[in-house]
Amino acid sequence: MSQPSEDPPGLVTLHVWRIPRAAVPRALARMATHPARLRRRPGVRFAKLLGTGTGTGFGPGDVDLTRWAALVVWDSPAAAAGFDASPVGRSWARIARAAVRVELRPLTSRGEWSGRRPFGDPPGGRATGPVLALTRARLRARRAVTFWRAVPPVAAALATAPGLLARFGVGEAPLGWQGTVSVWRDPADLVAFAYRHPEHRAAITRTPTEGWYAEELFARFAVGDVVGDRTVLGWAAEGGPDTARGHA
């Protein structure tokens, strides 16, 4: 059953950690125990701990075990400010060799995640700088192979899209829970790829007829501060230090 609409969040944060390969078992242990701890934290409306992929294929062979992420929806910026000092934040910092936090303001959101609308009904508005696109879907098992066969042309097109600053896959599990994060120089670049690029348009057209997804969500955000090492995001070198606000 769909959840009722919610007020827009005070802030959304994306935390991404790069860890050494020797720390992978400890990361897997955290993935098992930390989701509930994070959701219980005061001020947290919605939270997901996520594995990531390289962004080159967005399929089951794309897993990157040295990078992990958390997406958190907060009541307020003040609540979000305490994440790094929280038990979950400190625990990931102990095994990370690099990390970055991206502060996000929802612009649009369509669909559901785990039966919820985590970003409420964003008021919209215009973004004048970088934007982040988040897609997330739970695949129908009987349609997964067809979906993965359709992904390579889209992934190849994304890699060379004008204005793309960073991209990687995200998922709650290696199979069946697919998602992407992409960061764009400005909204026009994102729109040009999403609605005018032939490979992506073809995938959009096939989605309702193929019935790939049991649940899906698409959201766009204005990028605020980017704090930490943005290369953890796979940030393009040509983006330069001034393509997003915040600290390098």
Side-chain angles (χ1 to χ4, degrees):
M1 180 180 296
S2 297
Q3 299 290 322
S5 62
E6 301 176 2
D7 293 334
L11 186 67
V12 177
T13 56
L14 175 67
H15 307 262
V16 189
W17 301 277
R18 177 69 73 184
I19 67 170
R21 190 161 294 277
V24 168
R26 284 174 284 169
L28 293 172
R30 285 160 169 76
M31 292 295 290
T33 60
H34 283 183
R37 294 176 68 184
L38 182 55
R39 288 193 295 268
R40 289 196 299 266
R41 181 166 178 79
V44 171
R45 294 189 184 185
F46 181 89
K48 290 289 183 179
L49 282 172
L50 303 164
T52 77
T54 64
T56 57
F58 300 119
D62 190 46
V63 174
D64 182 354
L65 293 175
T66 68
R67 181 172 56 189
W68 301 84
L71 182 76
V72 191
V73 181
W74 303 90
D75 283 335
S76 68
F83 176 82
D84 288 343
S86 72
V88 171
R90 293 199 310 269
S91 182
W92 282 95
R94 283 196 297 270
I95 64 171
R97 59 179 176 85
V100 66
R101 182 183 78 243
V102 185
E103 298 184 354
L104 303 167
R105 175 174 61 87
L107 297 171
T108 62
S109 181
R110 173 178 57 82
E112 297 185 347
W113 192 339
S114 298
R116 294 185 57 187
R117 297 170 59 192
F119 313 115
D121 294 313
R126 300 186 63 179
T128 57
V131 291
L132 182 146
L134 169 70
T135 69
R136 181 270 173 185
R138 177 163 52 87
L139 297 179
R140 300 183 191 277
R142 59 187 174 82
R143 307 303 299 164
V145 173
T146 304
F147 171 82
W148 287 322
R149 286 174 179 167
V151 164
V154 179
L158 177 61
T160 59
L164 180 71
L165 298 177
R167 77 191 192 283
F168 55 94
V170 293
E172 296 155 81
L175 298 174
W177 283 265
Q178 306 293 133
T180 63
V181 168
S182 57
V183 184
W184 301 82
R185 181 175 51 201
D186 57 48
D189 291 319
L190 170 56
V191 169
F193 177 78
Y195 298 109
R196 298 172 196 158
H197 202 286
E199 284 82 3
H200 194 259
R201 283 185 59 86
I204 291 174
T205 301
R206 290 183 63 184
T207 296
T209 57
E210 295 284 354
W212 284 321
Y213 309 136
E215 182 183 61
E216 61 179 313
L217 178 141
F218 176 72
R220 295 182 189 176
F221 306 84
V223 174
D225 279 351
V226 180
V227 182
D229 184 353
R230 66 184 64 186
T231 65
V232 176
L233 303 171
W235 200 277
E238 62 270 22
D242 299 323
T243 48
R245 296 184 298 278
H247 308 286

